[in-house]
Structures are given as C-alpha cells and as structure tokens.
C-alpha cells in the first residue's frame, strides 16, 4: 500500500484543483495500465475491480483513510448551484522518502496531463485500457495481462496516424 499512497499524493500534488475519488481511481488505473504496457509491471501493484462508474483499486479507501489521518490529504466539498456535488481530495504534505522512480513519475505525469481538468473521454486517450475495464463484468477483477491489454494498441496507433495524415485506406 506504500506505493499506492505515494502515487495518490503525487497525482494530487500535480492536480492544482484537487481530484474527486472517482477521478483519482481512473488516473491510478490509467497510470498502472500505461506502465504495464511499457514494462509489464504496474506502479502500485493494486488489484482493480470494475465498479459501475470506474475502475477502482480495492485498497484505495484504506489508503485515503491512512493519508487523511496522517494529514497528507484533505477533503473539501465541491459546492455548485445544485449543492455539494462531491468532495475534492487535495494534497497537503508529502510522505518523506518518495518511493516512485523517475520513469513511474514520468508515466503518471503523462496521464495527469492528458486529463488536466476532468477525467472525460477516456476512450480517446487510452482506448485499449478503457476497453479492458469496460468489457470486464461489474464487480469483477480487471485483469492486467499482455494478451488482453495490448491486443488493439498497434492497430489503433496505425489508424490514428493515418487519420492525422488525412489518408484513409
């Protein structure tokens, strides 16, 4: 859970407006997925389940509780004209001795920058990872397997390169 706590804090530190619980869960999932695609290992080694609104690391609630008790994060209500919409998790202080590698931080930064304000349109940014969790039945573990996640990535990359060049074959 130590790596998960450090990843949460790192993402929240780079998110100036904070993130709600669902956005944080998605950012962790996509960070782990991108790392898995490149290195066949995940950053947090979390087990993810498919909830109705997002992929969700099973240990996330425990990690958030630990970080809140230790004073590393804070929860602030997001108030709109309709009332309290959700709670934004915000970075307060770091845990001494960051255990994330330079490559892990680079991958997480790429994911955070892809979703600067809100985590929307995931299928556009990470279609194969989005498909991996969507096809998983509700409340089941989302598998991270090379044969399952990387099945469409090369086809999608080639297709988007063709679309960028204006040529469709």
């Amino acid at each position: 859970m130590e790596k998960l706590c450090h990843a949460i804090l790192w993402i929240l530190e780079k998110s100036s407006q904070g993130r709600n619980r669902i956005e944080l869960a998605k950012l962790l999932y996509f960070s782990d997925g991108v790392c898995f695609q490149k290195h066949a290992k995940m950053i947090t080694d979390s087990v993810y389940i498919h909830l109705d609104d997002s992929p969700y690391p099973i240990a996330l609630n425990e990690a958030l509780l630990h970080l809140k008790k230790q004073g590393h994060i804070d929860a602030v209500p997001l108030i709109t004209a309709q009332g309290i919409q959700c709670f934004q998790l915000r970075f307060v202080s770091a845990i001494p001795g960051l255990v994330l590698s330079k490559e892990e931080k680079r991958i997480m930064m790429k994911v955070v920058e892809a979703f600067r304000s809100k985590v929307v349109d995931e299928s556009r940014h990470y279609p194969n990872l989005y498909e991996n969790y969507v096809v998983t039945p509700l409340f089941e573990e989302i598998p991270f397997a090379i044969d399952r996640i990387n099945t469409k990535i090369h086809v999608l990359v080639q297709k988007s390169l063709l679309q960028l060049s204006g040529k469709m074959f």
Side-chain angles (χ1 to χ4, degrees), residues 96-115:
L98 185 66
V99 296
L100 299 170
S101 71
K102 186 182 265 188
E103 174 67 7
E104 291 168 338
K105 289 188 273 186
R106 189 189 67 73
I107 288 170
M108 290 194 313
M109 190 60 168
K110 180 181 174 185
V111 172
V112 169
E113 285 178 352
F115 303 106

Side-chain angles (χ1 to χ4, degrees), residues 13-72:
E13 184 179 10
K14 301 302 177 195
S15 304
S16 60
Q17 301 295 320
R19 298 287 183 165
N20 67 43
R21 182 181 49 85
I22 301 302
E23 289 178 341
L24 182 61
K26 288 179 180 182
L27 291 172
L28 289 166
Y29 171 76
F30 289 123
S31 295
D32 273 340
V34 170
C35 189
F36 185 84
Q37 287 176 326
K38 291 181 183 246
H39 306 291
K41 70 177 189 75
M42 296 166 34
I43 296 170
T44 66
D45 291 324
S46 294
V47 173
Y48 289 85
I49 59 172
H50 182 184
L51 295 182
D52 54 345
D53 49 6
S54 74
Y56 201 82
I58 292 176
L60 182 60
N61 290 343
E62 184 180 352
L64 292 174
L65 178 64
H66 172 75
L67 292 171
K68 180 95 168 83
K69 278 185 178 179
Q70 299 297 317
H72 297 292

